[in-house]
């Protein structure tokens, strides 16, 4: 079996050559400043390997997010074209029960807050497999998804969710508006981080909104990433990392005002912002907007020192996990993984963890079973294989879903197994009774 590409053997793509080092901010075009962390050269987090791929070297790319000290957007350059990253996508949102419950709650809240009914239209960018729009459709509300990944768009259409197979941006938004499909509610859940042309996307939000329409967007909160050493939130497919202050600046630059924000537990701590067209007269934003920005300022999110401290937190996460896995191996204990999330691949690859320390992981999604994790080349199996192996420890890679997974796999208790999470700190926990 050929070894993967190692440091010094990176195969850069055309997009990388065009933007060496990502020196200019994708929002405000200022020169980038302090480095958040240098994670070395890693494979793309969603480039899961088929068995026949194991004979080939894996391209690796530098992963070093940097901070714009003008607008405070944390970002990495687009090293691979988005069209290549997202045309065929391994992530299907409908395989997490807690995420579906989160989406159903949002649907009910949005219908009540914005008075949505049969004449309303809800448009979602990066609508994936229809995981969210299905709840609006069940209430008789007209929905439309915009999803570039052919495989997940097909899954949405199989659920009866009309889906346009394209990337969302200003041009596609204007086509939607011209065809009478303006949005009374526009949704962008966990997509802003994946957008290389951030300005084009936000201009599209402005263009697609119907008069009086509103937009909501959910993003992992940069404040939580920094506080908790969430290094696995960082990977090549995540181009940008947002504070509320930066989001307010980006939206305002394109004629949108952020009028409310909610803090959510999803993805280790997220923001849901509410935005509408600015009509020339500033309206009063909810007090929560000022409060979150105050806490961001107190945490130093507009001070380079706050970003320089992140690497030490991330290194502690890595070192503690490695120490645990090596000790378990030395003591003859079996550790298996649960989940095959993109975020886990950053942690495994940067830590140098392979099948010698983590022989396999399992995932509910059949779209990942039978594949291998990029870089680490750890095999992905189905959950029954974990039950058959009866490991001493189960490392939960999607740690943000730890409670859901522990409940689903409570049978681990039957053979005395325990769960392990690495982020934000190493914890060993017993299964629920």
């Amino acid at each position: 079996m050929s070894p993967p590409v190692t440091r010094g053997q990176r195969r850069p793509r055309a997009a990388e050559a065009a933007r060496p080092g990502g020196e200019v901010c994708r929002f405000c075009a200022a020169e980038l400043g302090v480095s958040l962390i240098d994670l070395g050269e890693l494979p793309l987090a969603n480039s899961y390997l088929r068995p026949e791929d194991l004979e080939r070297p894996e391209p690796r790319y530098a992963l070093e997010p940097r901070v714009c000290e003008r607008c405070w957007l944390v970002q990495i350059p687009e090293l691979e074209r988005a069209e290549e990253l997202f045309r065929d996508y391994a992530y299907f949102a409908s395989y997490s029960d807690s995420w579906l419950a989160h989406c159903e709650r949002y649907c009910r809240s949005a219908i009540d807050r914005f008075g949505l009914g049969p004449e309303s239209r809800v448009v979602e960018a990066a609508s994936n497999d229809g995981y969210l729009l299905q709840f609006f459709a069940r209430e008789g509300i007209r929905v439309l998804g915009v999803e570039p990944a052919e495989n997940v768009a097909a899954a949405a259409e199989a659920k009866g969710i009309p889906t346009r197979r394209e990337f969302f941006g200003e041009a596609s938004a204007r086509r939607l508006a011209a065809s009478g499909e303006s949005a009374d509610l526009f949704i962008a859940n966990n997509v802003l981080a994946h957008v290389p042309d951030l300005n084009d996307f936000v201009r599209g939000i402005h263009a697609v909104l119907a008069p009086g329409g509103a937009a909501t967007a959910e993003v992992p909160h940069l404040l939580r990433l920094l506080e908790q050493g969430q290094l696995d939130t960082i990977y090549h497919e995540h181009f940008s990392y947002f504070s509320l202050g930066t989001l307010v600046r980006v939206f305002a630059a394109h004629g949108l005002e952020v009028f409310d924000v909610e803090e959510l537990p999803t993805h280790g701590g997220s923001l849901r912002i509410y935005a509408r067209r600015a009509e020339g007269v500033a309206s009063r934003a909810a007090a929560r907007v000022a409060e979150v920005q105050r806490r961001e300022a107190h945490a130093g999110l507009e001070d380079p020192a706050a970003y320089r401290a992140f690497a030490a937190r991330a290194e502690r996460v890595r070192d503690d996990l490695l120490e645990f896995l090596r000790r378990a191996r030395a003591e003859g204990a079996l550790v298996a993984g649960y989940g095959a999330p993109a975020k886990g691949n950053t942690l495994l690859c940067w830590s140098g963890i392979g099948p010698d320390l983590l022989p396999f992981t399992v995932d509910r999604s059949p779209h990942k079973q039978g594949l291998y994790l990029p870089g680490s080349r750890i095999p992905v199996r189905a959950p029954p294989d974990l039950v058959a192996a009866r490991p001493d420890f189960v490392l939960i890679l999607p740690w943000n879903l730890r409670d859901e997974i522990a409940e689903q796999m409570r049978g681990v208790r039957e053979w005395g197994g325990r769960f392990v999470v690495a982020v934000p700190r190493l914890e060993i926990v017993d299964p629920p009774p």
Side-chain angles (χ1 to χ4, degrees):
M1 181 168 67
S2 301
V5 175
T6 57
R7 181 181 289 272
Q9 294 177 286
R10 184 165 59 110
R11 288 171 171 76
R13 305 286 176 94
E16 182 182 7
R19 296 183 60 187
E23 296 292 336
V24 176
C25 175
R26 63 171 36 90
F27 166 55
C28 71
E31 184 175 348
L32 296 184
V34 65
S35 169
L36 185 65
I37 187 172
D38 185 355
L39 293 168
E41 292 169 347
L42 304 183
L44 300 175
N46 277 297
S47 58
Y48 297 88
L49 305 172
R50 297 164 298 183
E52 59 268 30
D53 296 329
L54 298 177
E55 298 299 322
R56 308 186 188 103
E58 294 178 67
R60 294 188 175 222
Y61 306 90
L63 185 55
E64 184 179 9
R66 297 178 64 191
V67 184
C68 174
E69 295 178 30
R70 177 190 292 173
C71 70
W72 302 100
L73 177 65
V74 178
Q75 59 203 274
I76 63 171
E78 182 188 10
L79 300 183
E80 179 66 278
R81 288 176 56 81
E83 289 81 359
E84 298 300 322
L85 291 174
F86 302 119
R87 279 299 180 192
D88 188 74
Y89 203 40
Y91 176 67
F92 285 69
S94 293
Y95 286 99
S96 168
D97 295 337
S98 62
W99 180 246
L100 291 178
H102 165 78
C103 294
E104 187 170 14
R105 288 192 298 270
Y106 165 78
C107 172
R108 293 171 181 160
S109 172
I111 289 173
D112 291 341
R113 179 166 188 165
F114 299 115
L116 301 176
E119 299 305 313
S120 306
R121 182 177 297 280
V122 176
V123 177
E124 183 184 12
S127 49
N128 201 263
D129 60 1
Y131 71 101
L132 172 58
L133 291 180
Q134 63 182 336
F135 296 113
F136 288 97
R138 290 174 190 173
E139 298 299 322
I141 295 170
R142 296 179 300 164
V143 300
L144 178 66
V146 182
E147 171 56 57
E150 295 284 347
N151 56 332
V152 290
E157 290 172 337
K159 295 176 182 175
I161 304 301
T163 304
R164 291 203 178 191
R165 302 186 186 194
E166 60 184 354
F167 286 92
F168 180 82
E170 184 177 14
S172 61
R174 292 194 181 281
R175 287 193 296 270
L176 289 172
S179 63
E181 295 181 296
S182 294
D184 298 291
L185 175 62
F186 176 84
I187 303 169
N189 278 356
N190 298 298
V191 61
L192 284 174
H194 294 273
V195 175
D197 192 340
L198 185 59
N199 291 310
D200 178 71
F201 189 97
V202 180
R203 284 195 299 267
I205 297 176
H206 187 280
V208 80
L209 285 180
T216 69
E218 294 182 21
V219 298
H221 193 184
L222 177 63
L223 178 61
R224 300 292 172 234
L225 184 153
L226 295 176
E227 288 178 339
Q228 299 185 13
Q230 295 174 0
L231 68 109
D232 55 353
T233 301
I234 302 168
Y235 49 91
H236 297 101
E237 292 92 330
H238 278 176
F239 302 127
S240 302
Y241 306 82
F242 296 97
S243 65
L244 178 60
T246 296
L247 285 167
V248 169
R249 293 185 190 96
V250 172
F251 277 63
H254 301 294
L256 295 163
E257 62 174 351
V258 174
F259 64 87
D260 201 359
V261 64
E262 295 177 62
E263 295 177 275
L264 308 171
T266 54
H267 297 288
S270 296
L271 297 175
R272 177 190 290 148
I273 64 166
Y274 294 78
R276 60 194 167 205
R277 286 180 176 173
E279 301 298 342
V281 178
S283 58
R284 185 172 182 178
R288 293 185 291 194
V289 175
E291 171 58 21
V292 174
Q293 288 186 283
R294 183 196 66 77
R295 283 192 279 110
E296 289 181 347
H298 181 73
L301 263 60
E302 297 191 4
D303 183 340
Y307 299 94
R308 294 192 182 99
F310 175 77
R313 295 191 187 100
E315 288 165 1
R316 185 162 54 249
V317 169
R318 176 197 62 191
D319 295 346
D320 287 350
L321 177 59
L322 278 170
E323 179 183 358
F324 165 77
L325 291 174
R326 288 167 177 163
R327 186 173 67 250
R329 181 179 61 182
E331 294 173 356
L334 174 62
V335 183
Y338 189 99
K343 65 193 313 175
N345 293 329
T346 295
L347 176 60
L348 295 173
C349 290
W350 185 52
S351 304
I353 295 169
D356 57 327
L357 293 175
L358 192 68
F360 69 93
T361 189
V362 300
D363 198 277
R364 288 180 68 188
S365 173
H367 305 282
K368 293 181 179 179
Q369 294 165 9
L371 302 179
Y372 294 78
L373 301 183
S376 67
R377 302 192 166 200
I378 294 169
V380 183
R381 301 177 184 172
D385 287 2
L386 186 145
V387 176
R390 301 169 69 89
D392 301 285
F393 298 97
V394 178
L395 174 62
I396 300 177
L397 291 170
W399 52 267
N400 52 301
L401 301 176
R402 56 183 287 177
D403 293 339
E404 174 185 346
I405 292 168
E407 181 63 33
Q408 290 172 355
M409 299 299 296
R410 62 194 307 160
V412 167
R413 170 181 287 274
E414 295 176 6
W415 63 82
R418 306 179 75 189
F419 294 111
V420 182
V421 291
V423 182
R425 70 189 69 84
L426 189 88
E427 292 184 70
I428 301 174
V429 296
D430 292 319

